[in-house]
């Protein structure tokens, strides 16, 4: 199960970063990051009741996935 969650987080991070950038533009890094984290957690394919647990357990992984997605987007 956790491998599926990690894979979903990686894919969602790309979309989350893109949507946050489109919505907020430049120079709002912290706001974009919060928006991206919320997007990822909201879209995770897990039951609603365990989303807070997953968010807590994978918070560092989510941060890393967002940073990777940001770097990826900069390279395009």
């Amino acid at each position: 199960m956790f491998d599926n969650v990690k894979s979903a987080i990686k894919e969602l991070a790309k979309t989350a970063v893109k949507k946050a950038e489109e919505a907020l533009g430049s120079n709002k890094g912290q706001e974009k990051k919060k928006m991206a984290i919320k997007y990822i957690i909201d879209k995770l394919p897990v039951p609603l009741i365990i989303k807070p647990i997953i968010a807590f357990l994978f918070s560092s992984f989510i941060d890393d996935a967002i940073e990777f997605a940001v770097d990826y987007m900069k390279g395009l």
Side-chain angles (χ1 to χ4, degrees):
M1 176 183 167
F2 288 136
D3 288 337
N4 292 343
V5 171
K6 286 183 175 182
S7 179
I9 289 170
K10 287 178 188 177
E11 288 304 312
L12 288 168
K14 294 174 190 172
T15 304
V17 167
K18 183 178 179 185
K19 288 187 176 284
E21 183 65 34
E22 290 171 353
L24 299 175
S26 299
N27 299 324
K28 296 187 179 181
Q30 289 298 338
E31 292 175 48
K32 288 190 285 189
K33 188 170 187 177
K34 287 178 186 177
M35 185 179 185
I37 290 169
K38 182 179 179 340
Y39 179 90
I40 291 169
I41 293 167
D42 288 348
K43 301 293 183 185
L44 276 175
V46 297
L48 184 61
I49 195 151
I50 67 168
K51 284 187 182 196
I53 297 165
I54 296 294
F56 176 75
L57 291 175
F58 287 91
S59 63
S60 180
F61 186 81
I62 292 170
D63 284 343
D64 290 345
I66 289 170
E67 292 302 321
F68 179 80
V70 167
D71 290 344
Y72 175 80
M73 295 296 282
K74 286 180 182 178
L76 291 179

